[in-house]
Amino acid sequence: MKRAPKSHRAPEAEERAAASSPWSPCDDGAVRRHLETMASLLAVQRTLHSQTDIQGIVDTVLAYARHIHPCDAVAVGLCRRSRECDVELFCHDGSSRSTAVLSLEAGDYERLRRSSIEDFDLAAGSPGGGGHDALLAPMREAGMAAAHVLPLRAHDRLCGLLVLARRQPGEPSPEAAPYLLGFAETAAIALDNARSLGERDLLARYDLLTGLPNRSVFFDRLNDLLLAAERGPFRAAACFVDLDDFQRINDGFGHSAGDRILRKVSRRLSRCLRQGDSLCRPSPSPAGQGEADDPEELSRLGGDEFAVVLSKIDDEQDAGLVAQRITDLFQRPFELDGREIYLSASVGVAVFPNDGCDADSLLRNAATAMHCAKKRGKNCFQ
């Protein structure tokens, strides 16, 4: 039996093919660059997969991009969830950082969502008009001559953009493209995971309708405040706020109108609080944008109930003054589709430590006081 030849090509042809291969063993420099890029890509993947904070992911991408592909400036654009054509752009040119917010045209957004790598000659003038002008303007202002724009896609949705720019014109080599695309894919997955985690946290801690902290956040903050009150010279109090006869709004105008009124109530309550007081509404949902250290917070306990934490009060009279301010808020009507809607609220107050030594008992006694205010005729506090 004859053995098959190792190659049908002449030895000279094999030598020429080996010499022309981008990762030929004869090309020690190319192999070294390949190994260094692979090591950088693995390092950035490990770092990004350990990040759960969006700003941390952006910082990592800005720091590692130059190790994946030689460039003089880097920008990461984050598409906003509420309006994906709006992009928050973070730029780094090696010496300084800047941020900007821009809007892509619908056509630019859709093309970028479906594209791979787009190359732009910044020295030639306009990169194509529309949103690209705004997207690449920081790079042109920084003296860059060429830019490569890569989409950051996750689940077929554009969650951001990666812009790599250089002072010298030119396109990335074909060998570099897989690394750039792998880098962009890793960044997109990390951003999407971080956003999903953030949304789950909002679902667990904030109310969809009003954006207020919910019951779990309320109890966390009240417990922290009670611990501080035990050590400090001030007292703390909890107010339980219940809207009077709110069912007539839902029955007369519909639940959608009732929801709009609840949002108006939450905004009005938030504005009347002192610095350091907190307002909550406990049905869990996302949409809230409150921060843990917001000086004027409110929690919604569910339905038409709200809870307020009062910090640093000297005595019961101080809590009563706040409760009176809350009931006075409802003297002005709420506007709904050109109509004036009048509401009132009953408020119950419990003061630490006289009316409860922990968050559960304090809120329970505040609710009891609120029911007493209802029995007194509503539109008052007890």
Side-chain angles (χ1 to χ4, degrees):
M1 180 182 294
K2 293 184 179 180
R3 292 185 179 180
K6 291 183 178 179
S7 174
H8 292 288
R9 293 182 295 186
E12 296 82 2
E14 288 186 353
E15 290 176 4
R16 288 195 300 271
S20 63
S21 173
W23 305 124
S24 166
C26 299
D27 189 354
D28 292 338
V31 172
R32 186 171 60 253
R33 289 193 301 274
H34 167 68
L35 294 175
E36 289 174 351
T37 304
M38 285 297 297
S40 297
L41 194 55
L42 289 172
V44 76
Q45 285 175 341
R46 287 195 298 269
T47 304
L48 286 175
H49 289 161
S50 66
Q51 290 277 2
T52 57
D53 174 64
I54 288 180
Q55 186 60 55
I57 292 170
V58 170
D59 291 341
T60 300
V61 172
L62 293 175
Y64 272 92
R66 291 176 177 82
H67 299 286
I68 306 301
H69 181 67
C71 54
D72 300 304
V74 186
V76 178
L78 300 181
C79 297
R80 293 183 169 178
R81 288 280 193 176
S82 56
R83 190 174 184 273
E84 292 176 322
C85 288
D86 288 345
V87 178
E88 187 174 8
L89 196 66
F90 300 84
C91 303
H92 184 27
D93 63 5
S95 59
S96 62
R97 294 194 178 193
S98 61
T99 59
V101 177
L102 55 98
S103 293
L104 294 175
E105 293 183 355
D108 290 329
Y109 172 88
E110 189 60 28
R111 187 174 67 256
L112 285 166
R113 187 177 71 84
R114 298 181 180 277
S115 68
S116 176
I117 301 177
E118 289 201 47
D119 302 314
F120 295 96
D121 183 359
L122 303 183
S126 174
H132 279 128
D133 281 329
L135 178 66
L136 299 175
M139 297 303 182
R140 190 185 295 105
E141 291 170 2
M144 303 297 133
H148 319 301
V149 180
L150 292 88
L152 302 179
R153 276 191 301 263
H155 307 297
D156 199 36
R157 183 180 55 80
L158 189 68
C159 59
L161 299 165
L162 175 62
V163 183
L164 306 175
R166 295 184 298 173
R167 290 188 172 86
Q168 300 298 323
E171 299 179 2
S173 64
E175 295 82 18
Y179 301 107
L180 287 173
L181 293 173
F183 181 59
E185 181 181 5
T186 300
I189 292 172
L191 284 170
D192 189 64
N193 289 341
R195 282 181 166 173
S196 297
L197 287 172
E199 288 176 354
R200 283 200 293 271
D201 181 64
L202 287 173
L203 279 167
R205 297 174 62 81
Y206 291 91
D207 171 54
L208 174 62
L209 181 62
T210 62
L212 296 175
N214 64 16
R215 183 181 294 271
S216 64
V217 177
F218 172 80
F219 277 106
D220 287 345
R221 295 178 184 173
L222 182 54
N223 280 318
D224 290 343
L225 184 59
L226 296 185
L227 288 174
E230 288 177 350
R231 299 189 297 267
F234 300 105
R235 295 187 183 186
C239 291
F240 197 106
V241 182
D242 185 85
L243 304 184
D244 297 326
D245 303 318
F246 188 75
Q247 187 60 40
R248 67 182 175 85
I249 302 295
N250 288 330
D251 293 342
F253 300 97
H255 287 275
S256 176
D259 289 346
R260 289 158 59 194
I261 291 292
L262 286 173
R263 284 192 288 268
K264 292 175 181 288
V265 169
S266 68
R267 287 194 292 268
R268 195 177 287 188
L269 285 170
S270 296
R271 287 195 293 266
C272 94
L273 294 179
R274 308 168 307 158
Q275 183 153 344
D277 296 340
S278 298
L279 177 63
C280 301
R281 180 186 193 256
S283 359
S285 300
Q289 300 299 319
E291 297 293 338
D293 58 354
D294 191 333
E296 293 191 351
E297 297 165 295
L298 177 69
S299 291
R300 182 182 176 214
L301 299 178
D304 56 356
E305 298 171 343
F306 298 83
V308 181
V309 179
L310 304 180
S311 63
K312 296 184 179 180
I313 61 171
D314 292 320
D315 49 38
E316 289 85 349
Q317 282 71 30
D318 286 346
L321 291 174
V322 177
Q324 184 63 60
R325 278 212 314 270
I326 291 173
T327 57
D328 290 345
L329 288 176
F330 294 88
Q331 292 180 2
R332 291 185 292 111
F334 294 86
E335 189 275 331
L336 181 67
D337 297 331
R339 300 186 180 94
E340 289 187 343
I341 307 296
Y342 284 88
L343 289 173
S344 64
S346 298
V347 183
V349 183
V351 180
F352 172 85
N354 297 349
D355 303 324
C357 295
D358 56 66
D360 283 320
S361 60
L362 203 64
L363 186 62
R364 185 170 60 251
N365 288 329
T368 301
M370 180 272 296
H371 288 295
C372 291
K374 295 272 190 189
K375 293 178 180 178
R376 287 181 55 195
K378 307 175 183 178
N379 191 27
C380 64
F381 72 90
Q382 180 71 42

